[in-house]
Amino acid sequence: MKHHSLYIICILLVSLSSCRQTTKIATYGDLYTEAPTTIYLAPVQDLAPRPDDRTMGGKEMVREYALAANYLPQTLATPLLRQGYYVLPQLVSIQIAQAESRSIPQLLNGDLSSYQQDYNIDAILFVTIHKWSVQNGGIVAYLEYALRSTKTGITLMHCWVKGHKRNWVNFHGESVPLTSDNEFAVEMELSDSEAQRCLLLLQVSDIIIRNLPTSSSRRQFRDDLYKAANPTYLYMFSNETGEMEVSPLALEKFEMECFAE
Amino acid sequence: MTRHILLLLLATAFLLSGCGSCRYLIEDEPLLLHYRCEPDREHLAGLAQGYGEIIRQNQEDEAVSQPGLFADYAASLALLGFREESSRWFNREAALYPNAAPYVAALKRLLILEYASDTSTDAQVVDLSAFDFSAPADELSLQAAPAPKLTPQEKKALAKEKEKAKKEKAKAKKQAAKEKAKAKKESERQKAKDRKAADKAKAQAQKEAEAAKVQAAKEKALAKKAEQEAKEQAKKQAEAAKKQAAKEKAIAKKAEQEAKEQAKKEAEQAKKQAEKEKAQAKKAEQEAKDQAKKEAEKAKKEAEKQAEQAKESEE
């Protein structure tokens, strides 16, 4: 009887400890140690399979995918700046990417010390679009974010995201775009479907980057050590008000949905 | 009342002071996306103009410029052929943000090598509206070449004309913005109307659905109650039958027990009686035996007495 109670207490303790969210110091320990301040945004790696452009609507989809990939770098700079990092601007980044001869996979695995020496870049942020799909009429994007140090080459942050922009319908079953989505479409001169795709990337990037520790150039550096960090695999979905809600995602589920045929 | 007015004034002042420090971001504009999608000179010029406009607005509002803004403006100017201005803006970025100095130096070597050692930071926003960027690059350089020398009067007239054109442009822009705002307002009003109707329909449908749900729940509860009652009744009956059976069984068991005990009692009594009779018989037998013995002894004694008497008589 005594043994049984002990086992039950042990199981309860283990389950409770697994429920607790990890802290930023545990997830971004290397980032706190290295304390990068200058970040360069590598060109986006777009690996999303394209639909057949001979099918109905295929051409528009291909164009939308390309447009979203072009918009993605634009979504990264502002949240990084808000966290206190110095981000190399867009046009400058394009010039540096053109001057460098290495491809993204080479950069992801190779030596980055030349970026530190030539441009004083402390870390490089890589973003990969793995797949686009549709679930319940809403757009789904499978993305990967990785931040690599140019000093040591270690990965300071790495996460995989399934972003889901839900489609809300009215009583008649017609799609009801949110006012904020409409405003975004007007401001960015985009069609509704293009705006939905771009907005999804904007919201996902914002959540991922806002969770990074504050830059060491700010006095708030290390104030957030024990705040909750995002899990490595994330599922983000938009609610009725258009805001993103975040929940952990199983590795197997991400792998199966993203990479399995 | 005075307190309320004071509070209102304070809140307004706070809001206004907040707006004063707002900075304009290129990420909020579609220019960068246009250039990324079609990286040609026309879009680059549009982007450069956008950067110039943001810098001007930030200067007017005395807002701090976004890090990297001057460097990006400088890069766009360098690519459009405004090399000297580009160098100055690059230098301003490096002066403002020390982090930028190494990459600014690298980019100056890459884009404007002749200005690599230039350190001038006296930069002005370039008015690109006078240039036609749809033309090829070599034609642009001709257009961008310094204009012939003008007399002070001509200069004054040109400046006046420029000012007038600028004013007209600003006026047109204002008008366009006004119209755009009006159209937007109208569209929003229409949308709000549509939304309201949709919301009403949704609310009605929701209400109906909820009423149906409540009715269904009620019926379900009633059915459940009836079922529960029937179940309880059946349970009660089963329990009563069980109780009766147990009672009967107990009675039968008691009777059986009593009969058993009676039989046992009788057997014990019979046994006792037999034992008593046996003891009496034994006693009687013993008594008879004793009597016979006594009589035999008496007879023996009598015989001995007679024998002695006979002997005595003989003697």
Side-chain angles (χ1 to χ4, degrees):
Chain A
M1 187 62 190
K2 204 175 177 184
H3 284 290
H4 282 286
S5 322
L6 268 173
Y7 285 134
I8 290 165
I9 289 167
C10 283
I11 290 165
L12 275 172
L13 279 174
V14 169
S15 57
L16 281 173
S17 65
S18 63
C19 285
R20 211 180 60 186
Q21 279 184 310
T22 50
T23 54
K24 286 193 183 183
I25 182 67
T27 309
Y28 306 119
D30 293 326
L31 218 151
Y32 283 109
T33 315
E34 291 228 351
T37 52
T38 310
I39 294 178
Y40 161 67
L41 308 173
V44 169
Q45 198 182 14
D46 187 6
L47 304 177
R50 299 296 199 252
D52 190 349
D53 59 2
R54 289 167 296 180
T55 56
M56 203 174 82
K59 220 170 192 171
E60 284 77 32
M61 291 279 270
V62 170
R63 208 175 59 79
E64 266 181 34
Y65 283 16
L67 183 113
N70 279 321
Y71 180 70
L72 188 50
Q74 207 165 320
T75 65
L76 305 165
T78 312
L80 276 170
L81 286 169
R82 284 189 186 137
Q83 292 291 96
Y85 294 98
Y86 183 92
V87 185
L88 266 70
Q90 307 282 324
L91 219 51
V92 168
S93 296
I94 294 171
Q95 298 310 311
I96 291 175
Q98 282 173 357
E100 291 289 324
S101 54
R102 283 182 288 176
S103 66
I104 300 297
Q106 282 172 327
L107 285 178
L108 270 166
N109 300 303
D111 177 37
L112 303 174
S113 56
S114 64
Y115 282 87
Q116 171 67 33
Q117 287 153 15
D118 299 344
Y119 308 108
N120 189 34
I121 292 165
D122 299 325
I124 302 181
L125 181 63
F126 298 93
V127 186
T128 308
I129 304 175
H130 284 295
K131 192 181 173 183
W132 287 104
S133 71
V134 176
Q135 264 180 25
N136 303 328
I139 300 164
V140 177
Y142 294 89
L143 305 160
E144 182 185 347
Y145 291 78
L147 185 70
R148 278 195 75 204
S149 161
T150 55
K151 291 175 198 164
T152 53
I154 56 173
T155 306
L156 305 172
M157 180 273 281
H158 206 169
C159 65
W160 286 264
V161 188
K162 176 190 173 185
H164 188 178
K165 183 104 180 110
R166 285 185 180 171
N167 185 31
W168 299 100
V169 289
N170 64 10
F171 181 58
H172 303 289
E174 296 157 346
S175 177
V176 185
L178 297 165
T179 320
S180 56
D181 293 7
N182 285 334
E183 282 170 2
F184 177 77
V186 171
E187 271 171 26
M188 297 304 289
E189 297 170 12
L190 299 168
S191 69
D192 282 345
S193 55
E194 287 169 348
Q196 291 287 310
R197 226 171 268 276
C198 290
L199 205 54
L200 172 63
L201 296 180
L202 182 71
Q203 288 175 315
V204 167
S205 296
D206 188 53
I207 289 173
I208 294 295
I209 290 165
R210 264 198 296 126
N211 193 250
L212 284 178
T214 313
S215 161
S216 58
S217 60
R218 289 261 175 94
R219 69 177 170 78
Q220 290 91 347
F221 180 56
R222 298 183 78 88
D223 276 1
D224 50 3
L225 287 176
Y226 300 103
K227 285 192 178 162
N230 278 339
T232 311
Y233 287 83
L234 282 162
Y235 175 46
M236 293 184 198
F237 55 94
S238 57
N239 61 19
E240 275 185 9
T241 57
E243 282 169 11
M244 278 285 177
E245 286 182 22
V246 183
S247 65
L249 181 70
L251 180 155
E252 293 80 10
K253 196 169 183 211
F254 183 91
E255 292 284 317
M256 208 151 88
E257 286 183 11
C258 181
F259 300 112
E261 281 302 311
Chain B
M1 185 66 186
T2 328
R3 208 171 144 197
H4 280 268
I5 292 168
L6 260 171
L7 276 173
L8 199 71
L9 280 171
L10 270 172
T12 317
F14 176 73
L15 284 172
L16 285 172
S17 68
C19 281
S21 62
C22 286
R23 66 181 179 202
Y24 301 90
L25 301 174
I26 196 71
E27 277 77 15
D28 298 338
E29 304 271 344
L31 297 166
L32 204 54
L33 184 61
H34 290 167
Y35 176 69
R36 275 192 182 270
C37 290
E38 285 175 69
D40 54 19
R41 287 180 65 77
E42 212 174 333
H43 284 106
L44 181 65
L47 183 61
Q49 265 180 311
Y51 280 127
E53 194 58 40
I54 287 169
I55 291 169
R56 205 177 289 135
Q57 278 171 339
N58 282 335
Q59 281 171 351
E60 276 174 19
D61 296 350
E62 293 177 359
V64 180
S65 283
Q66 171 188 356
L69 178 66
F70 296 157
D72 242 8
Y73 185 46
S76 64
L77 288 179
L79 291 169
L80 287 170
F82 299 92
R83 303 172 80 81
E84 193 182 347
E85 282 303 317
S86 161
S87 167
R88 288 177 178 180
W89 282 110
F90 266 134
N91 293 340
R92 269 190 84 165
E93 177 77 21
L96 201 60
Y97 300 101
N99 288 24
Y103 86 73
V104 159
L107 275 185
K108 277 173 85 174
R109 282 196 300 275
L110 192 74
L111 299 171
I112 42 170
L113 188 60
E114 69 272 27
Y115 291 99
S117 54
D118 176 40
T119 53
S120 168
T121 55
D122 181 25
Q124 294 295 320
V125 174
V126 181
D127 184 10
L128 298 171
S129 57
F131 299 95
D132 177 19
F133 291 100
S134 57
D138 46 343
E139 281 178 39
L140 171 76
S141 61
L142 284 174
Q143 284 178 16
K149 276 190 177 176
L150 300 170
T151 61
Q153 264 179 343
E154 281 174 331
K155 260 185 188 172
K156 210 174 173 182
L158 195 67
K160 215 173 177 179
E161 214 170 272
K162 224 173 175 178
E163 189 66 30
K164 201 178 166 186
K166 206 174 168 182
K167 260 181 190 167
E168 271 173 14
K169 201 180 164 188
K171 205 175 168 184
K173 207 174 171 183
K174 212 173 171 183
Q175 185 66 24
K178 215 173 174 180
E179 275 169 18
K180 201 178 169 184
K182 203 176 168 184
K184 203 175 172 183
K185 212 172 174 182
E186 188 60 39
S187 135
E188 269 173 11
R189 199 180 289 154
Q190 188 60 35
K191 263 181 204 166
K193 215 174 168 182
D194 293 348
R195 213 179 303 129
K196 212 173 171 182
D199 284 350
K200 210 174 169 184
K202 200 178 172 183
Q204 182 65 25
Q206 210 169 357
K207 217 174 174 180
E208 280 171 13
E210 269 170 18
K213 214 174 167 182
V214 166
Q215 185 62 25
K218 232 177 190 172
E219 279 169 13
K220 203 177 171 184
L222 275 172
K224 207 174 174 182
K225 205 177 170 183
E227 193 185 344
Q228 190 71 21
E229 275 174 4
K231 231 176 181 176
E232 271 172 16
Q233 188 67 24
K235 206 175 169 183
K236 242 178 196 169
Q237 279 175 359
E239 268 174 15
K242 208 175 166 183
K243 237 176 190 172
Q244 186 65 26
K247 217 173 176 178
E248 279 169 9
K249 202 177 171 183
I251 288 168
K253 207 173 174 181
K254 207 177 170 184
E256 193 184 345
Q257 190 72 21
E258 276 173 4
K260 236 176 183 175
E261 274 172 13
Q262 186 66 25
K264 206 175 171 183
K265 231 176 184 174
E266 279 173 5
E268 270 175 9
Q269 220 169 357
K271 202 178 170 184
K272 245 176 193 171
Q273 188 64 27
E275 271 173 8
K276 213 176 175 179
E277 278 172 8
K278 203 177 172 183
Q280 270 177 359
K282 210 173 175 181
K283 204 178 172 183
E285 194 183 347
Q286 191 67 31
E287 274 174 3
K289 241 178 187 175
D290 288 347
Q291 189 68 26
K293 210 174 172 182
K294 244 177 199 172
E295 276 175 10
E297 272 175 9
K298 208 176 175 181
K300 200 178 172 182
K301 258 176 191 173
E302 194 71 29
E304 275 174 5
K305 210 175 178 180
Q306 276 175 0
E308 267 176 24
Q309 274 175 356
K311 212 173 174 183
E312 273 174 14
S313 63
E314 263 178 24
E315 283 172 352

